[in-house]
């Protein structure tokens, strides 16, 4: 029996995608082999990877100047790559700190020798909001931000205007979940394991002219030039993760109807769940400031940790899993990524009402 | 219809493993989710990863001082990590150059600022053999070698004795294919996509006391300490690749009977194919010196490139794929990794005899 999967990531994948993965496991695309057994240089695999590349650009409406790269190592490796490529030798760069992941990105940039400084931070208020005032440096190479914050349940709705440098952003947890105007951005990356596919693949979108300005003489696997010049096949890429991501993109395009359609669904799911929280007379308390609430990760608390424990345990019994908050903050977190269906959210809301009735 | 898969990597996986993968795609281990949808911090996933860790140590007979780490980025990222961790700031290290991959490792070490020098090389003879005489530095931090050379079809049978420093080796293409005495080694790594599982996972075996000597203050995802301290879960690891690798290990242990059993099978497969080459009266010509021949990658040429083209095209029609040599050298390469069954080799040998009869 399939459960309702509210995992923060790795996260839910559409059942129709998984059914196709299962059916193709012994013989993919008429090759007589699993996708895992095919050479990454076989024409069928190269074509498949190119299709993933094109579908991402098409879904996001990216112009020709944007390149899609397939990396490994997750956002954590991007934290280092961004700094090594675009702020080498102490070059200045600005970071906006909205939580655990941007803190890590900032510290990693410093570790890599970048001249990283904070242009804004909501740390003093426990990262409960997205800042709207910034102290940008004038000579920054880039301004870094985290588009959606999985731990504290906040999300940028409008990105900084008039930043003095191009934006670089970690979109790991809201990639492909809504339409975004990428004009202020130069580079965007996303671990696949939230809205796209299995862990082990990181998508990088980068403007070619920005990439070309990047440092050279850094290790090949950390140098964006390597991925551009070799079409992400300098060495063997994570073929299976690219393949599953391709099926998810196909589902998003053809079953859902693209980004506008999924955004509408995602906004409705989040609105319903936040309404259930706000209408609970304080039994459930959202942790993020209302103007900064995430459409992807709905974080809330109950009157006591004991009730939270009971809530999680009962929910699991009713087939709703992954509702625990991030281990660094506790509480409840319902992640409502693209593949979490409306009925899962409806089931959760009913459960919450029932739970409050018994324990409120 | 399944084909006979002689791919150089990604490569064949046992059909029994793939059948289990297919069956578990919608509901892994009773979780009601695919393995790709499970949190990497869920107990079931952590237990699964620990089992993979233990099975590798058990199969290889490694003592407690050895640690198994799960990395990403393939051997190419290890080329940089080895140098950054163990030969920082120009520290001396020796490389033995036996082909494309050790050349890349050597150049990457230099790029990373290591004091890398060559202790031996078979480049002048087109990498057709494994050197047996070495000009080791006295002050090296390590001696680096590539255990099996996929491009030229050579393999170390006995490793250097009396090297003045611990050995570090790239075992990507013969990992878990034979018993190895790891006593002269301090670190060994292997991309999963030959004998172990899908691309996207790199196994690192390292002695803990050696690891502890490694450099600090390098990017987290390039620092072996990070993987040790966080049990390879500093960030989301490539869970699906670890899972499939676990099933392959289970197959190797319980269906095949372990390393001695697979080594016997591998030796027999290679012996039969090399005999077919050597008994062809020069129609098929092995490219590696006999004392350096690989059990994993059997490389050979035909009298002309035209015949090679016909050979590959006819073989494919008969359901034998992946027989093309590496794109840098051409010719024919039959990769006989663990999951390539004896009957595939028998079929290839019959085909070769038939082809020679018609074209010899």
């Amino acid at each position: 029996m399939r459960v309702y999967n509210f995992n923060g990531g790795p996260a839910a994948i559409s059942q129709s995608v998984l059914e196709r993965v299962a059916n193709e496991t012994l013989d993919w695309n008429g090759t007589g082999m699993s996708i895992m057994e095919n050479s990454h240089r076989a024409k069928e695999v190269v074509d498949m990877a190119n299709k993933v590349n094109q579908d991402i650009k098409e879904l996001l409406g990216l112009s020709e100047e944007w390149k899609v790269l397939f990396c490994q190592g997750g956002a954590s490796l991007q934290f280092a790559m961004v700094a090594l490529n675009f702020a080498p030798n102490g070059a200045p760069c600005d970071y906006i700190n909205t939580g655990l992941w941007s803190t890590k990105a900032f510290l990693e940039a410093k570790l890599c020798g970048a001249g990283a400084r904070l242009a804004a931070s909501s740390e003093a208020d426990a990262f409960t909001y997205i800042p709207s005032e910034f102290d940008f440096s004038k000579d920054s190479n880039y301004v870094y931000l985290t588009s959606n914050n999985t731990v504290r349940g906040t999300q940028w709705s409008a990105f900084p205007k008039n930043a003095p440098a191009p934006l670089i952003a970690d979109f790991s947890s809201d990639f492909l979940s809504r339409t975004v105007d990428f004009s202020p951005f130069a580079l965007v990356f996303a671990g696949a394991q939230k809205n796209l596919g299995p862990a082990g693949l990181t998508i990088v979108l980068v403007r070619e002219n920005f990439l070309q300005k990047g440092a050279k003489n850094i290790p090949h696997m950390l140098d964006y030039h390597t991925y551009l010049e070799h079409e992400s096949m300098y060495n063997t890429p994570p073929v299976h993760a690219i393949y599953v991501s391709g099926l998810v993109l196909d589902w998003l395009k053809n079953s859902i109807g693209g980004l506008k359609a999924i955004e509408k669904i995602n906004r409705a799911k989040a609105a319903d769940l936040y309404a259930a929280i706000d209408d609970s007379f304080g039994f459930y308390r959202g942790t993020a400031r209302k103007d900064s609430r995430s459409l992807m990760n709905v974080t809330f608390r109950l009157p006591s940790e004991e009730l939270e424990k009971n809530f999680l345990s009962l929910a699991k019994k009713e087939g709703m899993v992954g509702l625990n908050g991030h281990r660094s903050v506790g509480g409840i977190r319902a992640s409502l990524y693209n593949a979490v269906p409306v009925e899962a959210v409806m089931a959760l809301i009913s459960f919450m009402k029932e739970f409050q009735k018994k324990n409120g």
Side-chain angles (χ1 to χ4, degrees), chain A:
Chain A
M1 199 203 68
R2 297 268 298 166
V3 294
Y4 288 132
N5 181 351
F6 296 99
N7 272 330
I13 295 175
S14 162
Q15 182 160 334
S16 62
V17 166
L18 294 172
E19 282 164 0
R20 190 156 158 201
V21 171
N23 287 337
E24 297 178 347
T25 302
L26 271 86
D27 184 358
W28 172 73
N29 202 19
T31 59
M33 297 173 273
S34 155
I35 181 69
M36 298 177 273
E37 301 171 290
N38 264 271
S39 169
H40 56 297
R41 306 212 184 270
K43 187 182 177 303
E44 294 88 344
V45 177
V46 171
D47 287 351
M48 179 277 289
N50 285 340
K51 180 80 167 41
V52 172
N53 197 307
Q54 286 158 15
D55 280 350
I56 289 173
K57 290 184 72 169
E58 187 189 320
L59 276 161
L60 295 171
L62 296 174
S63 58
E64 273 313 298
E65 64 190 313
W66 285 89
K67 299 297 167 188
V68 179
L69 314 176
F70 301 137
C71 296
Q72 297 183 57
S76 297
L77 187 58
Q78 294 301 314
F79 299 162
M81 285 176 68
V82 162
L84 291 170
N85 280 265
F86 300 114
N89 309 314
C93 48
D94 280 359
Y95 280 71
I96 301 174
N97 189 8
T98 54
L100 179 71
W101 300 109
S102 26
T103 303
K104 284 198 172 209
F106 174 67
L107 294 175
E108 192 76 21
K110 287 187 140 188
L111 179 67
C112 292
R117 57 180 292 285
L118 289 178
S121 172
S122 52
E123 186 169 11
D125 285 312
F127 297 120
T128 48
Y129 70 98
I130 299 293
S132 54
E133 287 180 22
F134 313 101
D135 172 27
F136 291 125
S137 319
K138 281 184 183 146
D139 56 352
S140 264
N141 283 4
Y142 61 81
V143 172
Y144 182 100
L145 61 86
T146 311
S147 168
N148 180 73
N149 301 280
T150 50
V151 178
R152 305 285 180 159
T154 63
Q155 185 177 29
W156 291 81
S157 48
F159 295 100
K161 277 169 193 158
N162 308 320
L167 304 183
I168 289 184
D170 175 356
F171 267 81
S172 289
S173 51
D174 62 351
F175 191 56
L176 292 167
S177 70
R178 55 170 171 160
T179 57
V180 172
D181 172 10
F182 284 107
S183 48
F185 294 90
L187 186 149
V188 155
F189 63 84
Q193 70 271 17
K194 316 282 188 181
N195 278 316
L196 186 55
L201 171 64
T202 313
I203 302 293
V204 175
L205 314 175
V206 57
R207 282 181 203 271
E208 186 166 4
N209 63 354
F210 184 76
L211 188 159
Q212 296 297 5
K213 283 184 227 155
K216 282 173 182 171
N217 297 318
I218 52 181
H220 277 89
M221 294 297 289
L222 273 70
D223 183 344
Y224 291 112
H225 295 95
T226 305
Y227 296 84
L228 180 70
E229 285 161 18
H230 296 270
E231 296 184 331
S232 301
M233 293 212 188
Y234 174 70
N235 69 344
T236 317
V239 179
H240 181 267
I242 296 172
Y243 151 74
V244 177
S245 297
L247 299 184
V248 171
L249 291 166
D250 187 59
W251 164 83
L252 183 53
K253 261 175 71 175
N254 300 313
S255 299
I256 299 294
L259 282 205
K260 281 187 186 167
I262 197 73
E263 177 170 350
K264 199 175 160 191
I265 298 169
N266 286 335
R267 285 192 183 279
K269 289 187 298 188
D272 286 345
L273 185 50
Y274 282 121
I277 290 166
D278 294 340
D279 295 347
S280 73
F281 298 97
F283 184 78
Y284 300 111
R285 288 171 295 114
T287 61
R289 217 170 70 181
K290 287 192 182 179
D291 64 0
S292 302
R293 280 174 163 177
S294 168
L295 302 175
M296 295 284 103
N297 311 98
V298 177
T299 52
F300 55 99
R301 305 297 309 231
L302 270 65
S304 73
E305 289 192 14
E306 202 192 329
L307 277 172
E308 288 171 349
K309 216 176 140 187
N310 293 345
F311 180 94
L312 291 171
S313 144
L314 258 178
K316 196 172 178 182
K317 276 183 196 150
E318 306 223 355
M320 285 174 273
V321 305
L323 285 164
N324 49 303
H326 188 270
R327 62 204 168 111
S328 63
V329 293
I332 313 293
R333 172 176 62 180
S335 295
L336 309 182
Y337 299 124
N338 288 357
V340 176
V342 174
E343 58 264 33
V345 182
M346 294 300 110
L348 174 59
I349 292 170
S350 300
F351 171 77
M352 286 167 67
K353 289 188 173 155
E354 205 58 35
F355 187 87
Q356 184 178 358
K357 215 177 280 175
K358 285 181 191 149
N359 299 278

